[in-house]
């Protein structure tokens, strides 16, 4: 069953670029080459599924496997909630040796029953792990029986870690929503302004930075999938008029299948940067009008964009002179590999390299559209090579996730976290202002001239006091 599901998600016709490939290449999907079953570097399929579904804040998320699987995946993203906090509670069946020998199905049912009786969640998501997949637990049968006996939806998420990469897990999470959740409830009301936002996980509250823009236009987010979502919202998502896909690599399959089942058109957009935010609002307005919204929506959208852009550009003006020409090494992946490029170009910064190790071919094409055919796209950069790049002064700042922060710090180079662990939101017009303020704060922090000066004991002996000891350690 898992083999059939993998073949289905690998062959994604929703990606236009994928259609130009041969049949053999198309079966590999529209994602990056890291989509290889068994390749877990950078996060496994189980991790990806958990990332995509855990932001459903009022549901219980039960990991069926050893406790380490839950411990390593819990709280890996700073997805915020405006209300329920059940999603922050870690539930696991905590399998041991005897469970692996005799099977863990009974233990799984008891765990589901205990959660339902004590927490009364609207639904329980049950995540298959490598161990429970290998010992052959029939998780889907247990979930089906639990749903019938307990009267609460229990959704199996069949994405064991060995199935493939984190991105594959995102897609399998979307399949779980399609198979068991979306379309199972009807919304209390519907309007011509109802939309879903897919692939937005409300990291550091980014969804809340764009919700006020939608509210001023009368647009309602029927279901955020899944940032700050409630279970009943996702279950009723099939009544939206338009789907906006923020992270296409993760959930474009879900958007494409929702179009096929419920005729909901979708488009891929970004809320990073002023131009991309405006473009997303315009596209959304046009699609809603084509689905029955009043024609004046586009006029109101243009008025909102003009007002917000003027405010944002005025706020960015003081920073433009300080940041224009500064060089950035962007070491991230997916949608951020091009959407953040667009945002940095708006303030005149120079991209010396943008990582495409987790990007789709379509992401790479967008980078070329922004930066030309000679765009400095880089793949995996080993720590030693990154250390040398930063030591040689090839970049003024590194923007990346937490795993590479210490390389920057060892070379005394400013660093800014832009990955899922961050605590600052960068979406929409206000997010762009915050991003630029943070970059300026990092680049112009007075600590850098201080730590780059020779230490007193080195100066006393006539040494330059630069990073030789650290360099020696790195190259040892």
């Amino acid at each position: 069953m898992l083999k059939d599901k993998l073949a289905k998600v690998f062959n994604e016709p929703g990606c236009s670029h994928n259609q130009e490939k041969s049949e053999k290449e198309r079966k590999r999907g529209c994602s990056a080459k890291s989509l290889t079953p068994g390749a877990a570097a950078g996060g496994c399929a189980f991790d990806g599924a958990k990332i995509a579904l855990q932001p459903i804040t009022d549901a219980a998320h039960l990991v069926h496997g050893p406790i380490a699987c839950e411990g390593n995946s819990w709280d890996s993203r700073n997805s915020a909630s405006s209300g329920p906090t059940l999603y922050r509670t870690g539930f696991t069946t905590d399998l041991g040796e005897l469970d692996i020998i005799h099977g863990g199905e009974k233990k799984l049912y008891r765990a589901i029953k205990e959660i339902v009786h004590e927490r009364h969640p609207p639904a329980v998501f049950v995540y298959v792990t490598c161990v429970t997949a290998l010992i052959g637990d029939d998780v889907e049968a247990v979930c089906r029986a639990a749903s019938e006996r307990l009267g609460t939806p229990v959704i199996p998420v069949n994405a064991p870690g060995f199935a493939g990469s984190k991105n594959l897990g995102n897609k399998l999470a979307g399949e779980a929503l399609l198979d068991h959740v979306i379309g199972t409830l009807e919304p209390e009301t519907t309007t011509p302004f109802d939309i879903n936002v897919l692939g937005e996980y409300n990291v550091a509250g980014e969804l809340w930075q764009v919700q006020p823009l939608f509210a001023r236009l009368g647009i309602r987010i029927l279901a955020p999938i899944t940032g700050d979502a409630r279970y009943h919202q996702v279950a009723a998502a099939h009544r939206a008029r338009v789907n906006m896909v923020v992270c296409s690599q993760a959930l474009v399959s879900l958007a494409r299948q929702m179009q096929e089942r419920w005729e909901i058109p979708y488009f891929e957009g970004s809320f990073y940067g002023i131009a991309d935010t405006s473009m997303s609002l315009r596209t959304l307005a046009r699609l809603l009008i084509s689905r029955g919204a009043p024609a004046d929506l586009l006029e109101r959208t243009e008025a909102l964009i003009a007002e917000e852009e003027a405010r944002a550009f005025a706020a960015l003006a003081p920073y433009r002179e300080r940041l224009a020409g500064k060089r950035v090494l962007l070491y991230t992946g997916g949608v951020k590999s091009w959407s953040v490029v667009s945002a940095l170009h708006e303030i005149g910064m120079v991209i010396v390299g943008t990582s495409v190790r987790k990007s789709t071919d379509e992401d790479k094409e967008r980078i070329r559209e922004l930066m030309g055919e000679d765009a400095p796209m880089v793949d995996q950069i080993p720590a030693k090579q990154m250390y040398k790049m930063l030591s040689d002064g090839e970049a003024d700042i590194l923007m990346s996730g937490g795993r590479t922060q210490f390389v920057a710090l060892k070379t005394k180079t400013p660093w800014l976290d832009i990955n899922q662990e961050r605590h600052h939101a960068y979406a929409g017009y206000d997010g762009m202002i915050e991003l630029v303020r943070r970059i300026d704060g990092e680049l112009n922090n007075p600590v850098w001239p201080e730590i780059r000066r020779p230490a007193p004991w080195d100066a006393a002996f006539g040494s330059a006091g630069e990073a030789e000891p650290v360099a020696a350690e790195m190259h040892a």
Side-chain angles (χ1 to χ4, degrees), residues 236-257:
H238 61 298
R239 295 304 181 195
R241 298 302 181 99
V242 174
N243 278 340
M244 175 178 174
V245 186
V246 175
C247 183
S248 62
Q249 190 179 169
L251 292 179
V252 70
S253 302
L254 175 61
R256 191 260 306 166
Q257 293 183 74

Side-chain angles (χ1 to χ4, degrees), residues 454-463:
W457 51 88
D458 288 330
F461 290 97
S463 169

Side-chain angles (χ1 to χ4, degrees), residues 191-210:
T191 77
F193 302 96
D194 290 345
I195 66 167
N196 298 323
V197 180
L198 279 57
E200 211 298 321
Y201 304 118
N202 198 32
V203 172
E206 288 189 336
L207 182 66
W208 301 334
Q209 289 182 312
V210 295

Side-chain angles (χ1 to χ4, degrees), residues 2-213:
L2 180 60
K3 185 178 180 182
D4 294 339
K5 184 72 76 178
L6 291 177
K8 182 181 176 184
V9 298
F10 273 140
N11 187 9
E12 176 48 60
C15 174
S16 57
H17 189 80
N18 211 26
Q19 298 304 308
E20 300 173 0
K21 298 177 180 176
S22 66
E23 184 178 355
K24 182 179 178 181
E25 290 176 323
R26 195 162 56 245
K27 287 182 179 178
R28 296 171 57 195
C30 59
S31 292
K33 63 183 180 182
S34 57
L35 263 178
T36 304
C44 65
F46 160 72
D47 188 30
K50 195 99 185 299
I51 284 170
L53 298 176
Q54 188 159 338
I56 301 176
T57 57
D58 57 350
H61 298 270
L62 171 62
V63 174
H64 184 37
I67 195 170
C69 293
E70 168 63 352
N72 290 332
S73 62
W74 183 82
D75 205 27
S76 63
R77 282 203 171 202
N78 187 29
S79 295
S81 170
S82 58
T85 57
L86 186 59
Y87 75 122
R88 286 296 188 198
T89 300
F91 296 103
T92 175
T93 48
D94 185 21
L95 294 189
E97 279 185 79
L98 289 179
D99 300 314
I100 293 170
I101 294 169
H102 298 293
E105 293 176 358
K106 291 181 180 177
K107 195 168 188 178
L108 173 60
Y109 180 79
R110 288 197 297 271
I112 296 170
K113 185 178 179 181
E114 183 177 347
I115 291 170
V116 171
H117 285 172
E118 293 193 3
R119 300 300 185 107
H120 309 292
V124 180
F125 287 86
V126 176
Y127 298 83
V128 177
T129 59
C130 293
V131 170
T132 46
L134 288 171
I135 65 176
D137 277 3
D138 192 344
V139 174
E140 296 202 5
V142 175
C143 290
R144 190 164 51 247
S147 296
E148 293 171 359
R149 295 178 188 175
L150 304 175
T152 297
V154 182
I155 298 102
V157 183
N158 194 8
F162 63 74
S165 69
K166 182 167 66 177
N167 176 245
L168 178 65
N170 298 151
K171 294 178 185 294
L172 292 174
E175 294 293 314
L177 293 180
L178 276 170
D179 292 344
H180 302 283
V181 182
I182 296 175
T184 58
L185 291 176
E186 292 295 330
E188 292 182 0
T189 59
T190 59
T191 77
F193 302 96
D194 290 345
I195 66 167
N196 298 323
V197 180
L198 279 57
E200 211 298 321
Y201 304 118
N202 198 32
V203 172
E206 288 189 336
L207 182 66
W208 301 334
Q209 289 182 312
V210 295
Q211 274 182 325
L213 300 174

Side-chain angles (χ1 to χ4, degrees), residues 255-269:
R256 191 260 306 166
Q257 293 183 74
M258 290 183 74
Q259 185 174 39
E260 291 176 357
R261 289 191 192 185
W262 297 292
E263 299 181 348
I264 304 173
Y266 71 91
F267 75 102
E268 297 173 34

